[in-house]
């Protein structure tokens, strides 16, 4: 133009935020000298350390003198230059008692992010769902601006004497972060139940029964296989004449069961005699 052109200008938030991402700027009576075609507007940009999406600033011009407005707004895109943070579990393991109620597992970022970080995980281990806990495959979310996120699950306080069990969480491919070295977290559930006891029940059988089936009983079901040895000995009955001496080693009661049966052959003789007794003794119990 052969005239000096002037106008006003101002910035406003697009997806960028004034103060955090840039410094709000404005001007009145900005000029383009006669014979020129451009003017330059300066907006200070904040170089933060957050990994974030590219963000925008809107620039608006108004109140032109010696010109008309054909495009009142322009967009400045701030391209992010920060590396994605590293995410991993805060610790490789933890131990809790079976009666803990709940367990919390924490994932941590190396630095806060401007984006939500999603940390998927899969669940394995020797503990089972729902018998021992209620944690299924899922994910942990770390919100923008935070450095930690958690998942919480319930532990079942059963009455079974059992070995300590594990719940193992393994991180998959995170969103908006890279996976760190501590990508597996093992929760050990320490059993808190007493070892059950074994007892041999008394039994009365007729001489012509053929076999005496003696029951060995656990005081409570166990989560472990219980084993024991056993043997007969004379009470008032005599081995060979009244019964066949019997014994066994490593007799088992399966996990979850409470009884085992022991068989003793009985001799049906022709003598009228007093009732007679056999003693059954158990020993060398394992897991009881």
């Amino acid at each position: 133009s052969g005239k000096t052109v002037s106008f006003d200008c101002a910035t406003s938030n697009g997806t960028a935020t004034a103060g955090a991402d840039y410094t709000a700027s404005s001007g009145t009576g900005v000029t383009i000298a006669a014979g020129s075609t451009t003017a330059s507007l300066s907006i200070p940009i904040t170089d933060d350390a957050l990994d974030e999406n590219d963000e925008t600033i809107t620039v608006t011009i108004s109140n032109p003198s010696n010109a008309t407005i054909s495009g009142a707004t322009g967009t400045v895109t701030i391209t992010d230059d920060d590396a994605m943070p590293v995410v991993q579990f805060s610790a490789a393991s933890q131990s809790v008692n079976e009666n803990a109620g709940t367990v919390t597992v924490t994932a941590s970022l190396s630095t806060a992010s401007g984006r939500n970080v999603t940390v998927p995980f899969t669940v394995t281990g020797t503990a089972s769902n729902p018998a021992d806990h209620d944690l299924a495959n899922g994910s942990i979310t770390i919100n923008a601006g935070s450095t930690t996120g958690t998942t919480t699950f319930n532990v079942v306080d059963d009455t079974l004497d059992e070995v300590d069990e594990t719940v193992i969480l393994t991180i998959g491919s995170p969103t908006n972060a890279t996976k760190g070295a501590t990508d597996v977290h093992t929760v050990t559930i320490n059993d808190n139940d007493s070892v059950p006891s074994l007892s041999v029940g008394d039994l009365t059988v007729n001489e012509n029964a053929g076999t005496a089936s003696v029951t060995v009983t656990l005081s409570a079901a166990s989560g472990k296989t219980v084993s024991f040895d056993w043997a007969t000995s004379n009470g008032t009955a005599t081995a060979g004449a009244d019964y066949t001496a019997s014994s066994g080693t490593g007799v088992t009661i399966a996990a979850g069961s409470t009884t085992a049966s022991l068989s003793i052959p009985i001799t049906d003789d022709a003598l009228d005699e007093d009732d007679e007794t056999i003693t059954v003794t158990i020993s060398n119990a394992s897991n009881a």
Side-chain angles (χ1 to χ4, degrees), residues 99 143 163 237:
N99 61 357
N143 293 322
V163 296

Side-chain angles (χ1 to χ4, degrees), residues 203-212 242 264-268 275:
L203 174 69
T204 299
V205 296
N206 288 331
E207 191 177 63
N208 63 358
T211 301
D242 301 305
I264 306 168
I266 302 298
T267 303
D268 186 12
D275 295 341

Side-chain angles (χ1 to χ4, degrees), residues 6-287:
S6 65
F7 59 91
D8 300 338
C9 67
T11 57
S12 60
N13 293 345
T15 56
T17 302
D21 302 305
Y22 71 99
T23 301
S25 304
S26 62
T28 58
V30 179
T31 60
I32 300 176
S36 296
T37 57
T38 60
S40 182
L41 314 176
S42 294
I43 306 168
I45 302 297
T46 302
D47 186 13
D48 60 35
L50 293 177
D51 174 51
E52 54 195 349
N53 295 322
D54 295 345
E55 298 172 307
T56 60
I57 307 167
T58 299
V59 181
T60 303
I61 58 175
S62 59
N63 303 322
S65 174
N66 297 324
T68 59
I69 294 177
S70 60
T73 59
T75 299
V76 176
T77 299
I78 305 172
T79 303
D80 185 65
D81 63 352
D82 300 295
M84 286 193 296
V86 176
V87 65
Q88 60 186 353
F89 289 119
S90 297
S93 63
Q94 63 174 305
S95 294
V96 298
N97 289 331
E98 192 176 65
N99 61 357
T102 60
V103 178
T104 298
V105 179
T106 302
S108 299
L109 283 178
S110 57
T111 184
S113 175
R115 300 186 279 185
N116 289 345
V117 172
T118 302
V119 189
F121 62 82
T122 55
V123 180
T124 56
T126 58
S128 61
N129 181 342
D132 303 304
H133 66 90
D134 63 358
L135 182 63
N137 296 343
S139 63
I140 296 172
T141 298
I142 302 176
N143 293 322
S146 297
T147 56
T148 60
T150 62
T151 187
T152 300
F153 63 94
N154 297 303
V155 176
V156 178
D157 186 13
D158 59 35
T159 58
L160 294 176
D161 174 50
E162 53 195 349
V163 296
D164 295 343
E165 298 172 309
T166 58
V167 181
I168 301 173
L169 291 75
T170 303
I171 294 175
S173 298
T175 301
N176 297 328
T178 57
K179 184 165 62 174
T182 309
D183 60 346
V184 176
H185 182 84
T186 300
V187 179
T188 300
I189 303 172
N190 298 315
D191 186 64
N192 63 347
D193 300 294
S194 300
V195 176
S197 59
L198 284 168
S199 60
V200 183
D202 295 333
L203 174 69
T204 299
V205 296
N206 288 331
E207 191 177 63
N208 63 358
T211 301
S213 295
V214 177
T215 300
V216 178
T217 303
L218 272 179
S219 58
S222 176
K224 306 174 186 176
T225 297
V226 171
S227 65
F228 59 91
D229 301 338
W230 71 283
T232 57
S233 59
N234 292 344
T236 56
T238 303
D242 301 305
Y243 72 98
T244 301
S246 305
S247 63
T249 57
V251 179
T252 60
I253 299 176
S257 297
T258 56
T259 60
S261 183
L262 313 176
S263 293
I264 306 168
I266 302 298
T267 303
D268 186 12
D269 60 33
L271 295 175
D272 176 44
E273 54 195 347
D274 292 329
D275 295 341
E276 298 172 307
T277 61
I278 307 165
T279 299
V280 180
T281 302
I282 58 174
S283 59
N284 301 326
S286 174
N287 296 327

